[in-house]
Amino acid sequence: ATLTVNRRQADPAEREALVVYRAGDIPQSQATRRDHGWEHAHDTPAATRNGLAQAAVADADALGADNVVVLTVSHADCEDLADRIRALRQTRGELTGPSIEGPGWSAQPRRYAAGDRILCHAPLRLEGHRLTNGATGTITAIAPAGAVARLDDGPVVVLPARYVTGGRPDGTPNLSHSWARTIDGAQGGTWEQVHLLA
């Protein structure tokens, strides 16, 4: 079998960038991507990350937060970018009301408030619904019982406080912010716009 038509990359220039990449000409591939506004680098890593966060927020404003994803290699990078995105949204008054704290992938806890995008890492049975690993949604309120969230597949659920504040047997969190997620955890996902920290 031979792949003769690339249907994944819709833009001809992106297809050409991939052809030269596969041929080993990485600088030319990157130049093509830069010329078309697909690849960005700033003077410092922090400036690059801030630029990525600003671009992701702008795209989410235009396309909807559930249609935009930020991908990274590590959970530490996910938390860093989520913090940058959350800071922009907090400045705009989009993360409101009381909050609830849960464990993070690092030693630092994570804080969730109404307006936050979330990603479930552990299954959970709820009345009339079963959350699976990888489920995403938006918190609409923090209540004494836990976090009220509208899942991207439609229903509104209450994530019990024990779920938000707890973790899996291996010590990893049940929940994280889905403002950014790891590449391996995004397999099979479809979005209108993807931002990659590489």
Side-chain angles (χ1 to χ4, degrees), residues 123-147:
L124 177 66
R125 290 191 182 279
L126 300 168
E127 187 176 331
H129 194 77
R130 183 177 184 274
L131 253 65
T132 58
N133 180 13
T136 55
T138 302
I139 294 177
T140 58
I142 300 297

Side-chain angles (χ1 to χ4, degrees), residues 47-86:
T48 299
R49 289 169 183 252
N50 285 336
L52 190 154
Q54 291 166 1
V57 168
D59 282 339
D61 288 346
L63 302 170
D66 59 334
N67 290 316
V68 176
V69 69
V70 173
L71 299 177
T72 75
V73 173
S74 72
H75 290 293
D77 286 335
C78 287
E79 290 184 342
D80 175 68
L81 286 167
D83 287 344
R84 293 171 194 270
I85 291 168
R86 292 185 83 246

